[in-house]
Amino acid sequence: MLKSISNIAGKYIAVWVLIATIFSLFLPEVGSKLVSTSWVSYILGVIMFGMGLTVRTSDFKELLIRPKLVIIGIISQFAIMPLIAFILVKAFNLPLALAIGVVLVGTCPGGTSSNVITYLSKGDVALSVAITSCTTLLAPFMTPFLTHLIIGQSIDVDVLGMFLGIVKVVIIPILAGILFHKFVPKVTEFLQDILPFISTAGIVAIVIAVVSKSAGAIIANLGVIVIVVICHNLFGYLLGFFVGKAVTKEISKVKTLSIEVGMQNSGLASALAVAHFSAYPLAAVPGALFSVWHNISGGILASIYARMK
């Protein structure tokens, strides 16, 4: 029964996140009491621990077998999305708080949901897992560096603090999950059955915390935030697809590169905004709304890609 409930939670994650967003916009006082923004990093750590439970050392064999595509995926991830973020910030002349949030989404590694969307799209799941894992492990170095590079002239970016923050909420929980899987396999098997529920609940909680905190400002800027978030995601898919077409003729790998580039670890973006840019509460919002949108767009894209051969 738990497994069935968990599967339903994971399957309809976009619906739950959308409901959480609407709830938090109209009842922010209730949302703030339910989930505090001070919990966001811990919640993300739990989600990353769950990711670690699913990672195998064999997942990295793709890096040895087909290093070219994995490296291209990594470079594309950390080049295309930050570049799109920079262009959108300039094109829409975003206020500093929103600019920080958009840049953080762009500089974060690929999202774990990209692996599920790749599977539903009939893409190359092994390649997807390898790229996501590698970009996540590189995030402590790349995310602070790229964030400083793009917005460092407008605001002081605590590069070392961000590095340590990502290590604490991403790398350590993932490594703990990998070790837990190795030494306590029976418990891990049970936990894996309820991981979709844990991940969904975690993302929903982060959205409630972030959106409730800045509900008034979000409503006032909702139009531009939504447009920027959608453009960021869709251009990521599109440019990732073109990169894939340029480097391989295998459509499964083209679809994978498209999804890996377009989908971000937006929960991490919100967590970093809360932890390191607390003076700008609105900075956490693009990440939260990206969490809503990329689950919706990912499902639509999967239905399109699944028919593409």
Side-chain angles (χ1 to χ4, degrees):
M1 185 176 71
L2 283 173
K3 187 174 181 180
S4 297
I5 293 172
S6 182
N7 287 336
I8 291 172
K11 184 177 181 181
Y12 297 104
I13 183 173
V15 176
W16 307 130
V17 174
L18 184 59
I19 291 172
T21 303
I22 295 171
F23 165 79
S24 303
L25 283 174
F26 291 98
L27 295 170
E29 300 87 358
V30 179
S32 296
K33 291 178 181 178
L34 285 175
V35 189
S36 169
T37 52
S38 63
W39 302 354
V40 170
S41 293
Y42 300 104
I43 295 169
L44 182 64
V46 172
I47 296 172
M48 292 297 102
F49 175 78
M51 177 185 172
L53 292 177
T54 66
V55 173
R56 311 284 187 277
T57 53
S58 59
D59 292 334
F60 295 96
K61 69 181 181 182
E62 285 291 311
L63 188 56
L64 301 175
I65 297 172
R66 292 178 291 183
K68 176 185 173 182
L69 288 179
V70 177
I71 292 170
I72 287 173
I74 294 169
I75 293 173
S76 299
Q77 173 76 61
F78 285 124
I80 290 175
M81 292 306 273
L83 178 60
I84 296 174
F86 174 76
I87 292 172
L88 289 172
V89 165
K90 295 298 183 182
F92 285 87
N93 194 26
L94 295 180
L96 182 57
L98 287 179
I100 293 169
V102 173
V103 169
L104 284 173
V105 171
T107 59
C108 276
T112 54
S113 53
S114 63
N115 309 146
V116 177
I117 298 301
T118 297
Y119 170 75
L120 296 175
S121 300
K122 298 180 180 178
D124 189 324
V125 177
L127 178 61
S128 174
V129 171
I131 294 173
T132 299
S133 300
C134 289
T135 56
T136 300
L137 293 176
L138 287 170
F141 305 96
M142 297 303 298
T143 299
F145 168 72
L146 290 170
T147 302
H148 175 73
L149 185 67
I150 297 173
I151 59 171
Q153 302 301 316
S154 303
I155 186 174
D156 182 34
V157 177
D158 183 2
V159 175
L160 178 59
M162 285 184 67
F163 171 84
L164 295 175
I166 296 172
V167 169
K168 182 174 70 174
V169 303
V170 176
I171 304 303
I172 292 176
I174 287 177
L175 293 178
I178 294 172
L179 292 173
F180 196 89
H181 177 268
K182 181 176 179 63
F183 293 108
V184 199
K186 290 186 178 180
V187 179
T188 300
E189 187 176 342
F190 167 74
L191 289 175
Q192 285 179 337
D193 287 340
I194 61 173
L195 277 181
F197 174 79
I198 294 172
S199 297
T200 300
I203 292 298
V204 166
I206 290 173
V207 168
I208 290 174
V210 170
V211 174
S212 296
K213 178 79 172 179
S214 306
I218 293 172
I219 292 173
N221 297 275
L222 190 60
V224 68
I225 299 175
V226 170
I227 292 171
V228 168
V229 164
I230 291 175
C231 287
H232 199 180
N233 177 232
L234 295 185
F235 279 120
Y237 288 146
L238 185 63
L239 293 179
F241 185 87
F242 287 148
V243 168
K245 291 290 283 185
V247 298
T248 179
K249 294 181 179 179
E250 294 184 57
I251 191 62
S252 64
K253 294 174 178 55
V254 174
K255 291 186 284 189
T256 300
L257 288 170
S258 170
I259 294 164
E260 281 300 313
V261 171
M263 300 192 80
Q264 301 292 92
N265 189 336
S266 47
L268 175 59
S270 291
L272 291 173
V274 169
H276 300 285
F277 300 95
S278 56
Y280 303 90
L282 206 57
V285 172
L289 295 187
F290 201 98
S291 294
V292 181
W293 170 251
H294 83 174
N295 282 297
I296 295 171
S297 68
I300 296 171
L301 188 69
S303 66
I304 297 171
Y305 277 174
R307 297 182 178 89
M308 192 180 294
K309 299 179 180 179

